[in-house]
Amino acid sequence: MLATYRALCTHGYPNTSIAKIADEFEKSKSLLYYHYDDKEDLLEDFLSFLLERLEAELDEVDHENPRKHLLALIDRLLPSEMDDQAFQFRRAILEIRSQAPYHGAYREQFERSDTLFLSEFVSVIERGIEEGQFRAVNAEETAEFVYSAAYGALERGVTLEDPDIIEQNRAIIQEYVESQLVRYQ
């Protein structure tokens, strides 16, 4: 999986091949070819691996305070600091996502990812409402709006190679949460 990550960061999705992944692989190249027929087969497993890691990372987020939890989810989508490798990796993931309409296994993984984030957003918003920390809003609609805004900002920032787009939109989304969702007493 690390070899796949490195190859995607270096070459992007269109220029990554099983041979370029094999070049990054520290073990026998024949072992890689034994397990995977082609790039798509390997990327299916890679996306599944990423989702498992994402689920583990989301479990580690502070769940005690709904406001902090929600802001941490936004930070996970729109990190305030991204080095060049992280930026390149996100570009490669967006390139793979663009193939989802044509590749069912990719689509399934991205649907899982979206469902995971949206359910996290809905859950934390509902909990915040129940605890009186958030205003009474439609949790599903609010989650969809925040997630879509964050993902759109990520896509634009990465596509245009402009981290300022990510930072600016992260601040606006956080301000939206503070002004429209958080209930101050």
Side-chain angles (χ1 to χ4, degrees), residues 90-158:
R90 281 172 174 75
R91 178 183 319 175
I93 293 298
L94 289 173
E95 291 168 343
I96 296 169
R97 189 178 186 112
S98 74
Q99 298 303 305
Y102 316 105
H103 199 285
Y106 293 176
R107 184 174 44 256
E108 288 175 22
Q109 297 300 330
F110 286 110
E111 285 173 351
R112 279 184 53 211
S113 172
D114 287 356
T115 298
L116 175 63
F117 266 110
L118 285 168
S119 67
E120 281 286 316
F121 277 117
V122 169
S123 175
V124 71
I125 292 168
E126 287 175 343
R127 200 173 81 243
I129 293 167
E130 289 170 10
E131 294 178 11
Q133 292 186 28
F134 294 162
R135 295 180 178 147
V137 296
N138 182 308
E140 290 84 12
E141 289 176 1
T142 303
E144 183 67 46
F145 171 74
V146 171
Y147 180 66
S148 294
Y151 206 90
L154 177 67
E155 183 176 331
R156 284 191 61 240
V158 169

Side-chain angles (χ1 to χ4, degrees), residues 10-36:
T10 303
H11 306 289
Y13 170 78
N15 298 319
T16 294
S17 63
I18 193 100
K20 287 182 179 175
I21 295 169
D23 289 344
E24 298 286 343
F25 194 52
E26 295 172 359
K27 297 183 181 180
S28 163
K29 293 181 191 326
S30 62
L31 182 63
L32 186 65
Y33 285 103
Y34 175 78
H35 288 286
Y36 298 103

Side-chain angles (χ1 to χ4, degrees), residues 12-89:
Y13 170 78
N15 298 319
T16 294
S17 63
I18 193 100
K20 287 182 179 175
I21 295 169
D23 289 344
E24 298 286 343
F25 194 52
E26 295 172 359
K27 297 183 181 180
S28 163
K29 293 181 191 326
S30 62
L31 182 63
L32 186 65
Y33 285 103
Y34 175 78
H35 288 286
Y36 298 103
D37 293 330
D38 57 23
K39 172 175 88 168
E40 283 70 27
D41 189 31
L42 194 152
L43 287 177
E44 289 173 28
D45 279 355
F46 182 69
L47 291 172
S48 181
F49 169 78
L50 289 178
L51 273 170
E52 290 170 13
R53 286 193 55 190
L54 176 62
E55 287 172 337
E57 288 174 13
L58 292 178
D59 284 342
E60 294 175 6
V61 171
D62 176 11
H63 288 80
E64 294 298 315
N65 181 310
R67 180 183 159 276
K68 287 182 181 178
H69 184 180
L70 183 57
L71 293 175
L73 291 173
I74 294 166
D75 284 342
R76 177 66 180 89
L77 281 168
L78 299 171
S80 58
E81 297 288 327
M82 270 196 290
D83 62 18
D84 189 52
Q85 187 176 40
F87 209 79
Q88 297 304 324
F89 178 68

